[in-house]
Amino acid sequence: SQILTAVQEHLVNQAQPGDTVLFHFSGLGSQASLADKSATTALPTLVAADSRWPDDEMAVVQDLFAENLAQLLANLRGVRVLTVIDASPASFSTMQRGNFRVRSRPAVSNGAWRSPLGAQLTPPTKAWQSLTTNWPGMLLQPCLDGEIALEGNWSGFSAGLFTYALTQQI
C-alpha cells in the first residue's frame, strides 16, 4: 500500500502535463489467485518488502497487484509515463538458472483482495499478457508472459540483469 500511496501522492497528484515520470520496480514478481472470485486466472503481483503470505489471521493478498499500479498510472493525463518492471510474474519450479536467481516467488498465493487506496482502485482481473498490452505509457520489462527474469551478483551487490544492463546503458 505504501508503494501505491507514493505513486498517488508523488506522481499522480504532482505531475503536470508535459512532465515525464518514471516508475521502476526491481525485485520479485509473483501471482495470486483471489479466493472470492470464480476466475481461475492467476493475477500478476509485485512482492514488496512488507508483503506477507495470506494466512488465517490475514487472508488478504498483500502483494502489489500490477493491475492496481496500472490503474493509478492511467490517471496521469498529458504526462509521459515510463514504467520499468524487472521482475517475473510467472512461478517456476526452480529458483536458480545457472549462476542466476529467478526473480519470482515460487508459489501462487491465494487470498482476498482489499484495496489499499479505498474506492479509488478496482479489483484486479487481468493476466500479465492482457495487462501489458494496454499498459499506460511505455512499459519496459525483461521478459514476456511466462518467461523468466533473472538476478545476478555483481561487484558487491546483487541486481536484476535487466536493471543492471539498463543502468549501465544510461
Side-chain angles (χ1 to χ4, degrees):
S1 67
Q2 292 176 358
I3 293 172
L4 292 176
T5 298
V7 168
Q8 178 66 44
E9 292 176 0
H10 297 287
L11 298 181
V12 176
N13 291 352
Q14 295 182 25
Q16 300 295 315
D19 286 351
T20 299
V21 298
L22 167 69
F23 178 87
H24 187 141
F25 180 89
S26 184
L28 292 181
S30 188
Q31 295 182 47
S33 293
L34 297 180
D36 54 349
K37 301 288 180 197
S38 59
T40 58
T41 303
L43 305 169
T45 67
L46 304 174
V47 181
D50 61 351
S51 291
R52 301 288 180 264
W53 199 259
D55 58 22
D56 292 338
E57 276 185 44
M58 176 78 77
V60 173
V61 176
Q62 296 183 38
D63 292 355
L64 167 58
F65 282 90
E67 187 171 344
N68 291 148
L69 174 61
Q71 289 172 9
L72 282 182
L73 294 175
N75 291 328
L76 291 162
R77 303 283 185 226
V79 174
R80 291 179 300 271
V81 179
L82 174 61
T83 305
V84 178
I85 297 180
D86 187 2
S88 179
S91 58
F92 299 94
S93 58
T94 178
M95 292 304 293
Q96 290 288 131
R97 299 281 190 195
N99 291 331
F100 299 104
R101 287 182 306 279
V102 175
R103 302 198 99 194
S104 178
R105 186 187 283 152
V108 176
S109 61
N110 186 4
W113 176 81
R114 180 177 61 204
S115 177
L117 298 178
Q120 193 169 349
L121 300 173
T122 60
T125 60
K126 296 178 184 170
W128 187 248
Q129 188 171 11
S130 63
L131 181 60
T132 58
T133 301
N134 296 311
W135 194 270
M138 180 183 288
L139 173 63
L140 299 178
Q141 58 182 338
C143 55
L144 298 174
D145 188 42
E147 300 296 322
I148 60 174
L150 299 171
E151 175 178 305
N153 289 320
W154 312 103
S155 299
F157 67 97
S158 66
L161 294 177
F162 187 70
T163 295
Y164 182 77
L166 183 64
T167 56
Q168 292 304 305
Q169 286 300 309
I170 293 174

